[in-house]
Structures are given as C-alpha cells and as structure tokens.
C-alpha cells in the first residue's frame, strides 16, 4: 500500500483555501549549495546533486511584501517550531529560493489544534500559528490511535498475508 502523505494533503488544502490565486510552492529545498559545485555545474545541476542533503520546508508563499515559510504538523506540533527556526536561519544561504527577492520572512506553523505552552514558544520565536482543522483529520488521528492495538495489528497481518497470496503489492 502506498504511503499516505497526510501532512502534504493538509498543507495543500490549507494553501488552496488561503491563497487560491497561487504564488506558492510545496516541498521547497533550503540551504546552501557549495559554490565550487555551482561554478562547475551551474546552479540547477548543483542543486540536483545536493538535493538529498538539503532540508525541505513544507511550502513557501511569496508576495511583493512578504515571503512565507510554512510548516504543517498534525502530530508532534512542537517540532514545527524548531524546524521553522532552522529554516528561517538558512534562507539567506539559499541561492535558489523561488521568487525570493529579499522580502521579510514570515514563519507560519499550520496545525489542527494548539496547546498554550506550544503557542507561547511559537510567539516568543516570532512564528505565526494558523489553527485550521478539516473533517478528515479526525479520521487520521483515530487511525493513528488504533495503529498499535492488537486488533489493528491482527487485521493488518491478515491483509498483508492476503496480498502475499494474491501477489499484490
């Protein structure tokens, strides 16, 4: 069974509803590319060579006035704060950031719920928080809660055995 990209679905839905006009991109690489590689191969090929080692922010949104770094978290929300702090710090070293022209960088954490102490941390680190939930998130959370139960493991084992017998991946 293919891996379901829950957070990719989440940030995509948020972007479509918040900025339906576009001007955003998903899964954007950040960080430096060694100049000797850029000199030797050009920026595009050098970026491709270093693609596996560069961190990726869930999305960016550009306007003439602001440049947004967006990170979405459904689970383990507090890790999004650390991710955004790091991403913001490497923006100046990112030579291929789409449509970045020196605009002020705004970090935004997109989450389905928020705890007070996590919000305090986000605020103290100048990170905006958008609390947005969709109906399907409750189903995902329930699935995750049941993932390690004996019933779920037994049903999954039976499904995997059936796939093996039928030769289906």
């Amino acid at each position: 069974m293919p891996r379901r990209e829950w957070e990719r679905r989440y940030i995509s839905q948020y972007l479509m509803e918040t900025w339906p006009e576009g001007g955003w991109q998903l899964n954007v690489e950040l960080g430096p590319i060694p100049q000797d590689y850029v000199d030797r191969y050009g920026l595009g090929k050098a970026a491709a060579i270093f693609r596996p080692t560069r961190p990726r922010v869930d999305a960016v949104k550009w306007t003439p006035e602001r440049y947004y770094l967006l990170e979405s978290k459904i689970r383990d929300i507090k890790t999004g704060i650390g991710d955004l702090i790091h991403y913001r710090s490497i923006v100046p070293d990112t030579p291929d950031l789409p449509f970045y022209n020196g605009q002020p960088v705004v970090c935004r954490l997109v989450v389905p719920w928020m705890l007070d102490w996590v919000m305090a941390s986000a605020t103290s680190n100048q990170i905006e928080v958008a609390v947005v939930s969709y109906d399907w998130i409750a189903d995902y959370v329930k699935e995750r809660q049941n993932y390690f139960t004996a019933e779920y493991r037994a049903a999954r084992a039976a499904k995997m055995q059936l796939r093996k017998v039928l030769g289906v991946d």
Side-chain angles (χ1 to χ4, degrees), residues 16-157:
M16 291 295 295
E17 292 179 5
T18 307
W19 293 295
E21 73 280 3
W24 43 265
Q25 184 174 326
L26 292 169
N27 201 30
V28 176
E29 298 164 1
L30 299 171
I33 302 167
Q35 189 59 46
D36 59 326
Y37 279 77
V38 174
D39 294 342
R40 192 174 333 159
Y41 301 111
L43 183 57
K45 187 169 183 181
I49 291 169
F50 276 83
R51 182 165 289 129
T53 63
R54 296 173 78 194
R56 295 170 184 261
V57 65
D58 286 343
V60 297
K61 162 67 179 165
W62 52 87
T63 70
E65 300 81 29
R66 289 182 189 83
Y67 199 87
Y68 294 88
L69 300 177
L70 297 115
E71 189 71 9
S72 65
K73 293 292 181 191
I74 299 174
R75 298 180 301 120
D76 203 11
I77 291 169
K78 68 181 174 52
T79 63
I81 295 170
D83 291 344
L84 284 166
I85 291 168
H86 176 65
Y87 298 155
R88 178 175 48 209
S89 76
I90 61 178
V91 163
D93 300 323
T94 304
D96 56 344
L97 201 52
F99 299 97
Y100 180 67
N101 298 312
Q103 306 96 311
V105 173
V106 176
C107 293
R108 183 175 293 172
L109 180 61
V110 182
V111 295
W113 49 79
M114 180 51 68
L115 301 170
D116 290 342
W117 65 270
V118 178
M119 182 61 132
S121 179
T123 302
S124 71
N125 285 289
Q126 296 83 44
I127 295 172
E128 293 181 357
V129 175
V131 179
V132 181
S133 190
Y134 304 109
D135 291 339
W136 60 264
I137 290 176
D139 296 333
Y140 167 68
V141 171
K142 186 175 183 176
E143 180 181 310
R144 288 296 302 167
Q145 288 172 335
N146 292 329
Y147 188 80
F148 295 103
T149 64
E151 295 84 13
Y152 185 91
R153 286 194 317 264
R156 186 169 191 281

